[in-house]
Amino acid sequence: MKAITTTMKPEPKKSAASFWGKFRQQKYLYMMAVPFVLWAFVFSYLPLWGWMMAFQKYKPGKSFFEQKWVGLQYFRELFQDEQFFNALRNTLAMSIMGLLAGFIIPIIFAILLNEVRLQVLKRFVQTVSYLPHFVSWVVAAGIITKMLSTDNGAVNDLLMGLHIISEPIQFMAKGNLFWGIVTASDVWKETGWNTIIYLAAISGIGPELYEAARVDGASRLQQVRHITFPGIRGTIVILLIMSIGHLISIGFEKQFLLGNNLVRDYSQTLDLYALNYGLGMGRFSFGTAINIFNSVVSVILLFTANGIFKKITKESII
Amino acid sequence: MIKKLAAASWSDRIFDLVVYLAITVVTVATLYPFLNVLAISFNDSTDSIKGGITIYPRVFTFKNYETIFAFSGLITGFKISVLRTVIGTLLGLVSASMLAFTLSRVDFQARKFVSTFLALTMYVSGGLIPFYILIKDLHMMGTFGVYVLPGLVSAFNVFVIRSFIDGLPYALQESAKLDGANDFTIYWRVILPLTKPALATIALFLAVGQWNAWIDTYLYNGSKDSLTTLQFELMKVIQSTTTNADNFRGRNMTEVMAQISPESVKMAITIVVTVPILIVYPFLQRYFVKGMTLGSVKS
């Protein structure tokens, strides 16, 4: 790519005059890039400046320099709050469960889908499986709550019909079921969508490999094990590492929508905790301390994941 | 040899059985909830309480839809949702395609800086509360702008379009340049028309994101009825029912029924909110599959 494109480059000279000359030449490029870079600076980088709030006793309406500095007071408060450890546990639990399920199930589904010989059927199932990805979490949460409800919910009806249970389970009111419900909802919503990349990787495997295997008398299952699976292993590793990087940044959307007061001990994530006990109560400094903790942990996870990734593939994702 | 073949065909048959069983389960588990909601939304609301509705309405009626469309919040919400989807998508396309074009130009002086600067935004985040304070300080609370402006620049979208432009022959740009076209003309006349497939993908992502968003309404415009969105209205209806159900547990049934908006109305709103997307996405499938694979390879 670079070899083709360098033809447009004039001779590089490292003097100020040539810099400004080129700057003028590229004025349209600058005009197309600079406004958006400034934009990204305001909305993505400026909030980091807001982290100072966590070390101040922030009062709305006062300027930055008039705020009172309190050092690590809010972090000390945070680490003494039982709710914080509860929120941390919930965040980690739901992240890890979501990571495992959201990583393994799409691989299995992609491999199975690839084995469907009838192309029309394959396309139909694919299109259907993308559907939940496109609806909002508000809609998904409404549907899931309906399906799991005790009066005429499809899941309870099915389990009762099969005589697995004798009376409806109150899915949405049981704290110990909440993590599982969130994970299952995520799987229901995103599995189809997450197969796209794997299906693309599978379609890149040469058909001659399968032909050779068939000639050697390999069964379909053996073909999956020895051709399809090794063929997508690289993609699997990359996607796994990338999802580890996003491990703790699960936010609060699902938990907010699917949770209720009865399951709060299991539904409150760090972000939801910041929303309820920071923003909701006007404790901006305390809430910011929660956000900082969350960000720092996810950056550490990202670098750890990237370090492992580098060791395995000699490449970096950041 | 024959024995081996027979064994293989047996295991193949079981394998096929597993495959078709699995895709049937997935298809039913995905489609049934939607069909069920659709059926209830067209079913008489008092009849629905009896239960047993599956995928077709038992007592057909449009009344649920009439009820919800009489509610003014829904009309405003619909207008604002359409508006933010159209404006947000257009603005997002302009910003992403312009940035992608400048990044695809290897001779661009600031290329490395801009590229790193954008890539970092995918990983650093100030968090909920600093962002909230920023929006407040910028006086964007209670404005329409808060829906389309903060998310205007998305690094992921930029990189997807950039990898697409990288795949185009560079000679096109060179010959345009020789003809005396400036960089903006090259972007507008040469690059944009050729980038349509990638733009279609990004437009779909942006539009779905805008249509489905509700947290910004909740955080910044929650008390402003004129700026409500469809998703936010649906969220209020669904949340009010679940929290009421908590509060009213133990009281008598008629009192609860008076407080809770009937299930069918809830389902009707769900359908209204979902249908626009369902109409659009199957037609764009070709594009987003391509866009997803492009994005994952390069970014």
Side-chain angles (χ1 to χ4, degrees):
Chain A
M1 200 65 224
K2 273 195 181 125
I4 314 165
T5 46
T6 39
T7 44
M8 253 183 103
K9 255 188 185 170
E11 288 299 298
K13 269 183 231 147
K14 277 195 177 147
S15 70
S18 83
F19 175 83
W20 287 112
K22 215 169 163 203
F23 181 81
R24 212 167 309 143
Q25 233 178 39
Q26 299 186 334
K27 60 177 182 288
Y28 286 106
L29 290 180
Y30 277 101
M31 277 158 65
M32 279 187 270
V34 171
F36 299 117
V37 169
L38 289 176
W39 206 270
F41 175 76
V42 170
F43 288 105
S44 295
Y45 289 86
L46 263 191
L48 291 175
W49 172 255
W51 279 16
M52 297 290 195
M53 264 190 310
F55 307 97
Q56 294 177 326
K57 198 174 171 143
Y58 179 82
K59 287 245 167 68
K62 276 192 189 175
S63 88
F64 174 77
F65 300 99
E66 291 163 350
Q67 309 283 358
K68 195 176 144 214
W69 290 89
V70 294
L72 293 173
Q73 185 200 324
Y74 290 107
F75 285 93
R76 271 195 293 273
E77 270 178 40
L78 186 61
F79 294 132
Q80 276 159 10
D81 189 355
E82 220 173 281
Q83 294 236 33
F84 164 73
F85 292 101
N86 198 31
L88 182 60
R89 178 201 67 174
N90 294 340
T91 306
L92 286 175
M94 279 183 269
S95 301
I96 292 169
M97 284 170 74
L99 177 76
L100 289 179
F103 166 69
I104 296 167
I105 294 171
I107 298 174
I108 298 172
F109 185 54
I111 289 176
L112 291 178
L113 202 54
N114 185 57
E115 294 298 324
V116 175
R117 293 283 175 256
L118 219 61
Q119 285 308 307
V120 188
L121 183 67
K122 186 177 161 187
R123 275 202 71 93
F124 172 75
V125 176
Q126 251 176 299
T127 309
V128 167
S129 73
Y130 298 153
L131 192 152
H133 171 79
F134 288 100
V135 305
S136 65
W137 267 110
V138 179
V139 169
I143 291 178
I144 289 159
T145 313
K146 168 79 191 122
M147 291 302 125
L148 295 178
S149 85
T150 42
D151 35 68
N152 312 314
V155 176
N156 271 320
D157 282 356
L158 180 71
L159 292 177
M160 300 259 282
L162 293 172
H163 298 289
I164 295 173
I165 52 171
S166 53
E167 56 181 88
I169 302 172
Q170 289 199 319
F171 284 103
M172 305 313 283
K174 291 218 164 90
N176 52 359
L177 291 179
F178 188 78
W179 295 347
I181 289 172
V182 166
T183 309
S185 308
D186 228 356
V187 167
W188 178 75
K189 200 168 177 303
E190 303 299 334
T191 294
W193 183 253
N194 289 335
T195 54
I196 291 181
I197 293 169
Y198 292 117
L199 284 171
I202 292 174
S203 69
I205 301 172
E208 69 277 0
L209 290 175
Y210 290 102
E211 270 158 40
R214 254 193 308 265
V215 170
D216 289 345
S219 72
R220 301 261 300 278
L221 189 63
Q222 283 170 322
Q223 290 174 33
V224 166
R225 247 179 64 196
H226 298 289
I227 303 173
T228 313
F229 194 69
I232 58 171
R233 199 154 56 196
T235 315
I236 292 175
V237 173
I238 294 178
L239 290 188
L240 176 65
I241 306 286
M242 278 173 77
S243 42
I244 292 174
H246 293 289
L247 193 60
I248 201 178
S249 38
I250 56 167
F252 64 86
E253 192 174 9
K254 291 166 253 183
Q255 289 75 13
F256 181 101
L257 293 167
L258 287 168
N260 56 57
N261 286 331
L262 298 169
V263 297
R264 176 171 275 211
D265 284 348
Y266 293 89
S267 70
Q268 187 156 274
T269 60
L270 284 172
D271 267 339
L272 202 51
Y273 177 52
L275 182 74
N276 290 336
Y277 289 82
L279 204 57
M281 296 183 174
R283 295 164 74 198
F284 297 109
S285 297
F286 183 70
T288 306
I290 304 171
N291 287 151
I292 293 177
F293 179 84
N294 200 348
S295 296
V296 169
V297 172
S298 44
V299 167
I300 292 172
L301 281 172
L302 177 71
F303 276 104
T304 318
N306 192 49
I308 301 168
F309 184 66
K310 253 185 186 163
K311 248 194 187 143
I312 300 171
T313 63
K314 314 269 182 290
E315 261 183 87
S316 171
I317 45 161
I318 343 180
Chain B
M1 185 66 199
I2 291 164
K3 223 181 198 174
K4 208 172 165 187
L5 267 180
S9 77
W10 256 110
S11 86
D12 281 359
R13 240 175 261 174
I14 295 169
F15 186 76
D16 262 335
L17 195 72
V18 172
V19 166
Y20 286 102
L21 203 66
I23 63 164
T24 310
V25 169
V26 170
T27 310
V28 170
T30 310
L31 272 186
Y32 181 81
F34 286 100
L35 295 174
N36 188 223
V37 168
L38 188 67
I40 297 174
S41 79
F42 279 112
N43 199 55
D44 183 68
S45 59
T46 34
D47 180 71
S48 293
I49 296 167
K50 284 187 246 160
I53 310 282
T54 51
I55 57 170
Y56 53 89
R58 195 163 45 205
V59 183
F60 187 86
T61 177
F62 281 116
K63 201 147 173 290
N64 302 320
Y65 288 93
E66 280 163 24
T67 314
I68 60 168
F69 279 114
F71 164 54
S72 72
L74 202 79
I75 305 294
T76 319
F78 194 83
K79 275 186 211 149
I80 299 289
S81 284
V82 170
L83 210 58
R84 70 175 289 176
T85 304
V86 173
I87 296 175
T89 307
L90 286 177
L91 288 178
L93 279 180
V94 170
S95 81
S97 61
M98 281 193 174
L99 277 171
F101 170 66
T102 62
L103 289 184
S104 74
R105 289 281 300 264
V106 276
D107 58 323
F108 181 40
Q109 282 168 317
R111 180 169 169 262
K112 188 93 196 149
F113 170 77
V114 174
S115 172
T116 316
F117 189 86
L118 283 180
L120 277 176
T121 65
M122 296 205 286
Y123 298 105
V124 294
S125 145
L128 187 68
I129 288 165
F131 199 80
Y132 179 87
I133 302 284
L134 176 76
I135 297 292
K136 221 171 108 186
D137 287 349
L138 292 172
H139 302 290
M140 287 173 77
M141 303 281 278
T143 63
F144 179 78
V146 82
Y147 294 144
V148 292
L149 297 179
L152 185 66
V153 179
S154 148
F156 177 81
N157 295 348
V158 172
F159 292 136
V160 170
I161 300 179
R162 202 261 313 261
S163 19
F164 190 88
I165 298 178
D166 280 348
L168 300 171
Y170 206 71
L172 285 171
Q173 293 204 38
E174 282 184 326
S175 61
K177 198 135 212 182
L178 287 177
D179 291 343
N182 68 36
D183 286 329
F184 184 76
T185 318
I186 295 177
Y187 159 75
W188 189 252
R189 288 275 165 80
V190 182
I191 297 299
L192 267 197
L194 291 171
T195 319
K196 268 184 200 148
L199 294 181
T201 313
I202 298 303
L204 178 75
F205 291 168
L206 285 165
V208 169
Q210 284 286 354
W211 183 261
N212 284 345
W214 63 274
I215 293 179
D216 45 16
T217 319
Y218 172 73
L219 289 178
Y220 312 120
N221 291 342
S223 53
K224 195 119 178 179
D225 286 340
S226 59
L227 287 174
T228 190
T229 51
L230 263 191
Q231 302 286 347
F232 184 61
E233 290 300 320
L234 176 64
M235 190 280 281
K236 280 197 293 191
V237 173
I238 289 177
Q239 289 298 101
S240 74
T241 332
T242 49
T243 45
N244 279 352
D246 297 342
N247 298 340
F248 290 115
R249 187 149 295 148
R251 292 210 201 164
N252 68 54
M253 198 58 200
T254 45
E255 220 178 317
V256 178
M257 281 312 300
Q259 298 281 344
I260 297 174
S261 57
E263 189 92 325
S264 342
V265 169
K266 221 163 86 181
M267 297 301 137
I269 303 184
T270 306
I271 294 297
V272 170
V273 171
T274 315
V275 154
I277 283 176
L278 297 194
I279 294 171
V280 177
Y281 95 89
F283 296 101
L284 290 167
Q285 192 167 332
R286 191 157 52 98
Y287 292 120
F288 65 67
V289 170
K290 200 163 181 198
M292 274 297 282
T293 38
L294 260 181
S296 66
V297 171
K298 280 276 180 160
S299 72

